[in-house]
Amino acid sequence: MAAAMTAIRLYDLQVRDDRRPSPFCWRIKYALAHKGLPFDTVPIGLTDIPAIEGGAHKTVPIIDDGGKTVSDSWAIADHLDKAYPDRPPLFASPAERELCRFVEASLFVSAGRSLLMGYVKDIHDHAHERDRAYFRQTREKLLGSTLEELASGRAERLDAARAGFDSVRLTLKGGAPFLAGANPGYADYIVAGLLLWVGSIATAPFLKADDPLLVWLGRVQDLYGGLGRTSPLNAIAA
Amino acid sequence: MAAAMTAIRLYDLQVRDDRRPSPFCWRIKYALAHKGLPFDTVPIGLTDIPAIEGGAHKTVPIIDDGGKTVSDSWAIADHLDKAYPDRPPLFASPAERELCRFVEASLFVSAGRSLLMGYVKDIHDHAHERDRAYFRQTREKLLGSTLEELASGRAERLDAARAGFDSVRLTLKGGAPFLAGANPGYADYIVAGLLLWVGSIATAPFLKADDPLLVWLGRVQDLYGGLGRTSPLNAIAA
């Protein structure tokens, strides 16, 4: 970059103990690090979102890049590739971007709902006190059940969610260190973000100790000076 | 290309009525067309494979490219990108290749086994007479059940397999015409190959008539002069 760079500001969901659970914020933290762009995170609670940057955004991540505000993880990723073309691309080709959308869609379908239902009570319990009523109300409506009812059937839900990552396990069996191949890419950040979300709040470990996903996840956590270890995590594996 | 081109020879699995079911051969037919490489298909039955090109290959596709023989669809795709670098690439970046492997793995996990179990009796019944005993023996061993037992429970299997394509439906909901984005790519050929396989032999249609997959599939079938309509198909949707 020709000009001296101002750090990009990332509004990052925060829960108790300064944990940062949002899988969508995780992928943007990795995206910023991938491009070598300096950034500061601004921790916010769920109910703080309407007060940020004029209240135009309903979800995190939100970034402020030198006065320009962008929300939605895909819009942010596109903004970063467009605004910083001399930095390593997140998407080396349009097809890579679309296939990363397939990765997101695929895990959403195979694991998303069972993962959310299995851990929604833990997410609630880790939220800031001021966010809990809002969280309970919106999530119980979304899932059609009380958080306590959902928690009672969680063993089967977590079995289903664990199997929902078989596509990732089978891909990694090919021997490449990352889902994007020899080097890490946005697909890795999408999937790692899901597991860091779970690790941030899970009171029951998600993966088995011999799960091959753990080797890959450790590799992603080590990237960029250990970015994936900068927020308190519970045990991801038992 | 500087030199006059000799058509590449593709050994293509053939069943009754000159149907060409192999999903792995389909992706290579599309790969060759994508790169604008002329090719001739040589129809072969399952039990002919050991007699081809010295018997070094156990599965189709097998190509003979000016005397060089390559088998395995991934090895063939890599060969084509390497041997014809001035033609449109199958994989514009290493990450695109790896993510196509994720697409394959993901559908294998979500739909592969239920699709095979649901249609294995139909595959048998469409095979050439001389291939049937071999097919029955190997598939019954693989699936741990007789073809007739598998056929009896197929409604539930096909429901599961149909749901196994939800990742594709959700991705296409984003509005791009192809899984690879604005232009078709290898991920499209992988998924279309699975559906053309089913369409080649299914005596019970796989998709519902209002399935959004059909619009996309029709688009892929139309590519390259209607390549996806060059083999007899049964109804894909009811």
Side-chain angles (χ1 to χ4, degrees):
Chain A
M1 307 299 297
M5 284 192 77
T6 313
I8 291 171
R9 182 184 302 161
L10 169 67
Y11 293 96
D12 190 18
L13 188 68
Q14 182 200 50
V15 296
R16 286 193 304 149
D17 312 327
D18 196 26
R19 288 162 196 256
R20 307 295 177 97
S22 167
F24 301 100
C25 289
W26 273 115
R27 60 171 84 163
I28 294 306
K29 282 180 271 191
Y30 273 100
L32 290 160
H34 178 103
K35 295 188 78 77
L37 295 167
F39 65 97
D40 297 319
T41 65
V42 181
I44 55 165
L46 258 188
T47 51
D48 298 332
I49 298 175
I52 292 165
E53 303 272 352
H57 308 287
K58 295 210 181 322
T59 56
V60 285
I62 302 165
I63 65 161
D64 182 328
D65 182 5
K68 183 179 168 70
T69 307
V70 188
S71 72
D72 177 88
S73 61
W74 289 100
I76 293 171
D78 288 338
H79 163 77
L80 295 176
D81 266 358
K82 200 173 162 191
Y84 303 98
D86 53 346
R87 299 281 175 148
L90 295 169
F91 308 118
S93 68
E96 183 178 349
R97 181 185 188 279
E98 290 304 302
L99 295 178
C100 285
R101 290 190 56 252
F102 179 88
V103 171
E104 177 185 71
S106 160
L107 283 161
F108 181 84
V109 166
S110 65
R113 195 175 173 86
S114 47
L115 210 49
L116 178 60
M117 290 174 97
Y119 285 119
V120 68
K121 176 77 163 47
D122 279 351
I123 303 173
H124 170 271
D125 294 348
H126 280 78
H128 288 311
E129 197 73 53
R130 67 184 189 279
D131 289 334
R132 289 192 191 172
Y134 170 81
F135 182 86
R136 174 182 287 275
Q137 190 191 357
T138 52
R139 270 49 175 187
E140 290 189 343
K141 190 175 169 192
L142 174 73
L143 298 169
S145 190
T146 68
L147 301 187
E148 287 69 20
E149 281 163 359
L150 290 166
S152 74
R154 96 158 156 187
E156 298 80 38
R157 291 194 178 98
L158 295 189
D159 286 346
R162 207 178 295 116
F165 283 77
D166 277 349
S167 54
V168 182
R169 294 184 188 96
L170 184 55
T171 304
L172 292 170
K173 228 176 170 175
F178 296 104
L179 290 173
N183 299 301
Y186 203 70
D188 293 281
Y189 311 148
I190 289 173
V191 180
L194 281 172
L195 294 173
L196 293 174
W197 168 51
V198 168
S200 298
I201 49 78
T203 56
F206 179 48
L207 302 175
K208 310 279 186 196
D210 59 353
D211 193 316
L213 277 183
L214 290 169
V215 179
W216 161 83
L217 180 63
R219 207 177 280 139
V220 177
Q221 287 184 278
D222 286 342
L223 293 170
Y224 315 122
L227 175 61
R229 303 184 195 282
T230 53
S231 155
L233 296 174
N234 294 333
I236 290 179
Chain B
M1 306 301 298
M5 284 191 77
T6 312
I8 292 171
R9 184 184 301 160
L10 170 68
Y11 293 96
D12 190 18
L13 188 68
Q14 182 200 50
V15 296
R16 287 193 304 149
D17 313 327
D18 197 27
R19 288 161 196 256
R20 308 294 178 96
S22 167
F24 301 99
C25 289
W26 274 114
R27 60 171 84 161
I28 293 307
K29 282 180 272 189
Y30 274 100
L32 289 161
H34 178 103
K35 295 188 79 78
L37 296 167
F39 65 98
D40 297 319
T41 66
V42 181
I44 56 166
L46 258 187
T47 51
D48 298 332
I49 298 175
I52 292 164
E53 303 271 354
H57 309 288
K58 294 208 182 327
T59 56
V60 285
I62 302 166
I63 65 162
D64 182 328
D65 183 4
K68 184 181 166 70
T69 307
V70 188
S71 73
D72 177 87
S73 62
W74 289 100
I76 294 172
D78 289 340
H79 163 77
L80 296 176
D81 266 358
K82 199 173 164 193
Y84 303 98
D86 52 348
R87 300 279 174 149
L90 295 170
F91 308 118
S93 68
E96 183 179 350
R97 182 186 188 280
E98 291 304 304
L99 295 178
C100 285
R101 290 190 57 252
F102 179 88
V103 171
E104 177 184 70
S106 158
L107 283 161
F108 181 85
V109 166
S110 65
R113 194 175 173 86
S114 47
L115 210 49
L116 178 60
M117 292 174 95
Y119 285 118
V120 69
K121 176 79 164 48
D122 280 350
I123 304 174
H124 171 271
D125 294 348
H126 281 76
H128 287 312
E129 196 73 54
R130 68 183 189 280
D131 289 335
R132 289 192 193 171
Y134 170 81
F135 182 86
R136 175 182 288 274
Q137 189 190 358
T138 52
R139 271 49 175 188
E140 290 190 342
K141 191 175 168 194
L142 174 74
L143 299 169
S145 190
T146 68
L147 301 187
E148 288 68 22
E149 282 164 359
L150 290 166
S152 75
R154 95 159 158 189
E156 298 77 40
R157 292 195 176 97
L158 296 188
D159 286 346
R162 207 178 296 115
F165 283 78
D166 277 349
S167 54
V168 182
R169 295 184 187 96
L170 185 56
T171 303
L172 291 170
K173 229 176 170 176
F178 296 105
L179 289 174
N183 299 301
Y186 203 71
D188 293 280
Y189 311 148
I190 290 173
V191 180
L194 282 171
L195 294 172
L196 293 174
W197 169 51
V198 168
S200 299
I201 49 79
T203 57
F206 179 48
L207 302 175
K208 310 279 188 197
D210 59 352
D211 193 315
L213 276 183
L214 290 169
V215 179
W216 161 83
L217 180 63
R219 206 176 282 140
V220 177
Q221 287 184 277
D222 287 341
L223 293 170
Y224 315 122
L227 176 60
R229 304 184 194 282
T230 54
S231 156
L233 296 174
N234 295 332
I236 290 178

